[in-house]
Amino acid sequence: MRKKEKTKLFEDLEALRREVVRHRELYDNKSKPEITDAEYDALKLRVDELETLLGAEDELFNVSNIVGSAPGRGFKKVRHSTPMLSLDNAFNDDEVERFYERLKRFLTVEGDIDLAVEPKIDGLSLAVTYRRGELVQAVTRGNGRVGEDVTRNVVFVRGVPAELHGSDLPEILEVRGEVYLTKEDFLILNEKMIRQKKKPFANPRNAASGSLRQKDASITRGRNLGFFAYTVGFSSQPLSDRHSTSMEIVRSLGIETTPEFCLCSNVQGALDAYHRIETIRSSLPYDIDGVVYKVDRLDWQDRLGQAAKAPRWAIAHKFAAERAQTILLAIEIQIGRTGKLTPVARLEPVGVGGVTVTNATLHNADEIGRLKVRPGDRVLIQRAGDVIPQILENLTPDEPRLPYVFPRYCPIEFGGCGSAVEREPGEVDFRCTGGLICPAQRVERLRHFVSRNALDIEGLGLKQIQSFFKDRLIDSPAHIFTLTEQKLLTRKKKGDVWARNLINAIAARKGPPLDRFLFALGIRHIGEVTARDIARHYHSWAGFRAVVDELLVHRKARRPELESALEQQRLEDHDKIKRRLGLELAGIIGVGGVGPEVAGAIADFFEEPHNLKVLTDLFEAGVSPQDVEYAPVQSEVSGKIVVFSGSLERLSRDEAKAQAEKLGARVSTDVSKKTDILIAGPGAGSKLKKAEDFGIRIIDEKQWQNIVARAEA
Ligand code: IVH
């Protein structure tokens, strides 16, 4: 490229960068976007291309990776190249053996599978990216999809070199690993915090997280954090076809990798390694809470893929929980967003495995009955990793004390409303019947609405919601969007910067992606995964709403039939109709994974006038869910319903199912008129007959493999 041309491109790049910043600002802080999201993305893409072309990826200060940031909100948000997943857990050898059997079945491997075994470091995960060997970005896990850019701070983390060693480096290399603080540094830090009259950290993991996520990088510098890489997130040139060797290469480039790593040729070897690591656990300088087993062959990892939140090719084997004795001081009741009453034990503070425990869950009334615990009793508690501590046993059941009586009314002392508490037949939980008159439920719904995986409004935590609710500033979700700086300041004695930041943070969330919006509504049974499936399926709020209307009409049409069955005491018929209706509703929704219960819950939600009012108010306040564009791998089976039957030779059922889902097909277990394709192996039997009767397309495993190959080509 000639110099003149290059200078011109640099100027273009600068101008484009300024445009990105300006549009980001309009969107985030002024809530007056001038361009669509797609146009914005195209702009960012152009910046990216130019940066790569010119080798101008000065990531410390560039803007091309910004996905959402606002002054005062801390760190720039960055979308991960691929989601940072969590791991499934196993708690004993049997569960690990079952995992191993699952692997073999999935991969249809007869012999043994090499497993990498490494300690599970108890810190926080971080993705670090190198471009031509130079550290350009470090991003925390965040919610798994979007994390925080902590590049400035990571320079002070041991184990993450600013430059890689070696010559034949990939253009881009993203390595993922764990940032940790040693047990010794944790103690030193806490002593210092206490001397300075600051709140000490609960454990090394929290301390590491707090130390890395510092706006002032000089604080991070003084904290002595370390890093161990545990996987390659992305590499523009594959490093190796094995996990073990790619980690060796990563180490040779100068990045620290998990110590105590070993490669085992079968499950017994892996379990032996677990027990060996368990014995040295307490002598290691850092906290580990288990080991991780990983399939070593990377092509097998690819085939195994991932389930909803965790990969199928790895599992964490947790160490046994640690236990301690303490006194149960009181039993308090938490009232959830659906009115569920959860008893919580307040405990005399006690150290368990390096953490001070003050609360334990008691689950429900039955659990209290089973343990026969009363305030004043000495109890045995157990804590395992991230799990909320549990009470295992009452050590003083014979001491004369009155039994604890579970509340019959929604407890006002814990924010409740005094309404009767009921338990539905077959359910373990008691629920407050107060519905929307119950302040605790309303507060919890608001809290859910703004929470991190829902609308994610920064600065609106439980404390603020409670206090705004008490002051009558916020009473329903729409109120959040009608808040003004003035309203905030007349009620709260806080600074204008606080008010401005909060109002900005709220305004920045007026256009939530459809999946977050659906999740935020708090419809029963609609968790994050289902919300995402629905959003991907319908793309827009209008599309989803149209189907909901169909649901409601359908259900209304069935009502007389149900009522008459009830009136005539034909209870079995009633149940049958109800079940059928549920299935029909699920059929109308037509999203894989949405069954009768979920479909019914959606219909319930939209039949409730109050919920409709909440929605109208939200839309009136300017909230507008954004369309979700999602294109699964396009293939000739996208959107089709497929059924596998008979035995498959080269594929396990699980792998076949995962392949079909990846290609956008829905897998059903039974052949019906709606089925599009039957993949039949030897012994397909009655399903094959049914498919022939219905005139459904029937193919064999080989033809299926061809479809997969064509889609991947
Ligand atoms: S592998 C796709 N290996 O544990 C799975 N994770 O509970 C990638 N962790 O989010 C994870 N040590 O932050 C892996 N040796 C190790 C690990 C490890 C700690 C963390 C990691 C992950 C969490 C899951």
Side-chain angles (χ1 to χ4, degrees), residues 85-87 118-121 125 178 230 258 292 294 311 313:
L85 302 172
S86 53
L87 289 170
E118 46 197 81
K120 186 167 182 302
I121 314 289
S125 34
E178 202 82 351
Y230 55 63
T258 36
V292 185
K294 297 174 186 173
W313 45 264

Side-chain angles (χ1 to χ4, degrees), residues 3-16:
K3 191 154 177 246
K4 213 165 146 197
E5 264 174 51
K6 206 167 173 180
T7 319
K8 169 80 180 59
L9 286 178
F10 263 112
E11 280 168 13
D12 287 354
L13 173 61
E14 275 317 303
L16 284 170

